[in-house]
Amino acid sequence: MTTVKKKKSEHLFHIPVMGTSFTIDTPLRVARFGISSVVSLCDDELCENMREFYSKKFNLIFEPIKKGSEDCRAKRITQYLNLLDDCVNKQIEEMKSQSFNEDNDLVAYFELLPESSNLKGLYKTMVKTDDNTEKEILQDTLRNSIVPGDIDVNIMTKLDRDTYGKDGQKNDQIFSDALSALRGFAQAKGSSSMVFSAGFNRRLFAYLESFSGFYPDKNGYIKKKIVLKVSDYRSSLIQGKFLAKKGIWVSEYRIESGLNCGGHAFATDGFLLGPILEEFKVNKSDLVSSLLVTCNNALKTSDKECFSVVPEVDITVQGGIGTSNENQFLIDYYNLKRTGWATPFLLVSEVTLVDYSTRQLLLNAKQDDLYLSKISPLGVPFNAVKGTASEHQKFTRFENGRPGSPCPKGYLVSNTEFSKKPVCTASVFYQKRKIESLKSQELTKGALDNAIQAVVNKVCLCEDLAAGALISNDIENKRSLKPAVCPGPNLAYFSSLSSLKDMVGHIYGRVNLLNDTYRPNLFVSELKMYVKYFKNEINKVTLAPSNLEIKYLQSFKRNINNGIVYYNELVPKLALETAKYRHKMLEELQDVSSEINDIVSKYSTIFPSVQPALAT
C-alpha cells in the first residue's frame, strides 16, 4: 500500500496547548504563517468571551449563546472554532494579495520557513532572479503553495464532569463536559485535529462513533483527525487498538515528556523520553500495520469506507526542547514529523495571550522559581512558577478567614468527601469543611498546620488560568481576576521577550535566545527531574512500604538505570554537538548514576543489594 498524503506546511514544529487561555487565540496569530497550534476546549465560557471580543474587533455579527441554554457548551465551542477558521482563511486571502516587495505577512511566511524547506529554496530563487518573467512565475507558484497552520484543539480527558439540569437530575452523558466539547469540535466546519491528553476515557472515545468526520471518505481523507498525547508506547498501543476497533484512525502520536513540560505533569514509572522515542522508532511500522488491519475490519463491518492506502501516522515529541541542535537531532534520529515548542512562546506576545504582569514574572523567573507544585485540584503534579497573583490571592483568602474559591466554573470537580455531587478541592465549599474536619481530629499543631496548608494550597485553575486572557483584552468580568500560569522548567533558560521571527529563528538555528544559565541536554534535564521525583516517591513509603510499593520503586529504579545506559550509548551519536558538549553529558550521566546508588544504599529494605527478579 502507498500512503495518503495531503499538502501540509513545511514547518518542523507546532505550538502545543498551554493552559486554558494562553493559546486560546494563537491560531489568529500564527496560522497564516503555516504554524499549527492547539486551542484548549476546557473553558467554553472563555471561548464565548473570545468570540465576542473578536466579533467586535472584526465587525462581525455576534449572537450570544447564554449559559444554561440548550447544548450551550457545544454550541459555544462550535461557533468559536468557526470564527477562528473564517478569520484565518480571510487572513490567507489577504496575504496572497500582498506584494513580495514589501515587509509584510506574505514575505514573513516564507522568511519564517526552515532552511531545509523546498518552498524556502524556491523563495530564495525568486528573490535573487533578475528575470521579471521568471520572478512572476515563481511568485505565483509561491502564492499557490501557501498552506495555513492547523487550528487543532485539545480535550484533557480527565476533565469530564457530568452536568445537571435545573431540576437537579443528572443530564444524559452526552452533555458531560468532555463529550460536549467533542461534539462542539465535530460540528465545527474546519478540518483539523482533536488532541486527546491525560489518558484513556472510554465513554469519550466511544462517542467518536457518532460523527462521520472522524471516518475516512472514499479517498482516505479524514476531516477530523485524532491525535493522542502520550507518555509511553504501551498506552499508545492500548488506546490506538481501542479506537481502531471502532474504525477510528489515530493520525498522530504526540509524545510528551512526563515531567519536563508545562501544566499537569503525568510522570511515568521512570521511563525516560529517549528510550520511549526509541521504542516508537523501532515499532512504528508494526504499530501502523497491525492497527490498519483492525481499523479496516471495523470499517468494513460497519459498511464504511475502508482505507485503500496506508493513512499517514505522524510521531512527534514535545517537552523541554531548547536548542536547534536538539530539535534537529530529534527529528532526524527518531524519524519524527516535527516537534512541539510551548513554554518559550510564553515570552512571545505575538503568539500567546498572557497579561503584562504575568509575562514580566515569567521574564524574570529563575530555576528556583519554577517548581513541580501540588496546586492542582486534580491531585496531579502541576508545573508552576512562584509569585503569581493567583498564589497571593489564595493565601490572602485563608488569612482573612475565607479559604478557597467561589468555584464559578467547576470544570475540575472530583471530590465527594462532603457531598453527593463532586466538588472542587479548591472551592470554598470543600476547603471550609475539610479544615473543620481536620481541626476536629487529635493532631499535633505541626501536623494540623501541615494538613491545613495542603488544603489551602489548591488553586482555582479554571478561573485563574483564564484570568490573564480577560485582563489582556479588557473583557469585563465582575469576579476577582488573579492570573495563574503553568510554564515548564525549560523557561529558566529564556529571559528575554522575543518576536515570532526571533523565536522561530531560534528553533531553526538562525539566532540564539538562550540566556547565560547553564543548560544540560534535554534528556539529562528530564533525567534529573525523575531522580528528584524518585526521591519523593521513596519518602512517601519509607516508614512501612508494602510489597506493591517496593516492587514499584524497584521497577522505577531499574527503568531509570536502563535509561542512563541508553543515553551513554546515545551520546556519541549527537553529531551536531561539540566534543566538549558530549563529554560534559557523559560526566552528568555518571554523576546521576552515582546519586541514584547513594539514594538506594540508604534503603536496604526497599533495595536489597541483590534484588530478586521481578515477575513480568
Side-chain angles (χ1 to χ4, degrees), residues 215-274:
Y215 292 102
D217 64 13
K218 62 182 180 181
N219 298 314
Y221 171 72
I222 304 172
K223 181 179 181 180
K224 305 285 186 177
K225 296 179 285 294
I226 296 298
V227 174
L228 294 181
K229 187 191 287 188
V230 295
S231 57
D232 62 80
Y233 180 79
R234 181 175 175 273
S235 66
S236 305
L237 185 60
I238 292 171
Q239 294 178 71
K241 281 184 176 179
F242 180 88
L243 293 171
K245 288 178 180 178
K246 296 181 177 298
I248 303 293
W249 188 251
V250 177
S251 297
E252 180 185 336
Y253 293 90
R254 187 165 290 187
I255 305 161
E256 182 173 58
S257 169
L259 292 178
N260 198 5
C261 61
H264 287 96
F266 296 93
T268 67
D269 292 351
F271 293 105
L272 304 178
L273 187 59

Side-chain angles (χ1 to χ4, degrees), residues 534 538 541-543 545-547 550-551 553-554 557 596-612:
F534 180 52
I538 293 174
V541 304
T542 49
L543 292 178
S546 66
N547 288 335
I550 290 174
K551 287 185 177 181
L553 291 171
Q554 289 178 354
K557 169 182 171 289
I596 293 172
N597 289 335
D598 290 342
I599 293 169
V600 301
S601 67
K602 299 175 183 177
Y603 304 100
S604 58
T605 56
I606 300 175
F607 308 102
S609 55
V610 180
Q611 294 186 14

Side-chain angles (χ1 to χ4, degrees), residues 388-450:
T388 63
S390 169
E391 181 180 2
H392 291 308
Q393 177 176 249
K394 73 179 179 184
F395 289 126
T396 299
R397 284 172 169 169
F398 172 64
E399 290 165 1
N400 291 338
R402 298 188 301 273
S405 163
C407 196
K409 296 182 177 180
Y411 301 124
L412 273 64
V413 298
S414 62
N415 187 281
T416 55
E417 187 176 352
F418 304 108
S419 60
K420 291 183 179 180
K421 291 182 183 178
V423 299
C424 180
T425 56
S427 67
V428 173
F429 178 91
Y430 174 82
Q431 292 198 1
K432 179 181 178 181
R433 286 161 178 76
K434 186 63 177 178
I435 291 173
E436 289 174 352
S437 174
L438 290 170
K439 288 180 177 178
S440 69
Q441 300 174 26
E442 296 181 359
L443 299 174
T444 64
K445 185 179 185 306
L448 178 61
D449 289 344
N450 289 336

Side-chain angles (χ1 to χ4, degrees), residues 1 35 37 75 92 99 121 146 170 175 193 241 254 308 310 384 399 406 419 472 522 551:
M1 283 187 179
I35 300 171
S37 59
K75 289 178 180 177
I92 293 292
S99 169
I146 290 174
K170 184 186 292 187
F175 295 105
S193 298
K241 281 184 176 179
R254 187 165 290 187
S308 58
V310 181
E399 290 165 1
S419 60
S472 297
L522 85 155
K551 287 185 177 181

Side-chain angles (χ1 to χ4, degrees), residues 2 25 71 74 80 124 144 188 194 305 394 406 555 560 562:
T2 55
D25 65 350
D71 206 17
Y80 182 58
K124 289 183 174 180
N144 292 329
M194 165 61 71
E305 297 287 349
K394 73 179 179 184
S555 176
I560 291 181
N562 288 341

Side-chain angles (χ1 to χ4, degrees), residues 456-492:
V456 300
N457 194 33
K458 304 303 180 186
V459 163
C460 180
L461 295 181
C462 302
E463 182 82 341
D464 296 356
L465 286 178
L470 304 181
I471 293 171
S472 297
N473 290 327
D474 293 322
I475 295 175
E476 184 178 351
N477 189 296
K478 296 179 181 179
R479 302 190 294 264
S480 174
L481 296 177
K482 302 296 181 182
V485 68
C486 48
N490 207 31
L491 180 71

Side-chain angles (χ1 to χ4, degrees), residues 9 26-27 78 120 149 160 183 282 303 389 416 486 542 549 600:
S9 168
T26 295
T78 297
K120 186 66 170 281
D160 194 14
R183 184 165 59 257
V282 171
D303 293 324
T416 55
C486 48
T542 49
E549 289 169 333
V600 301

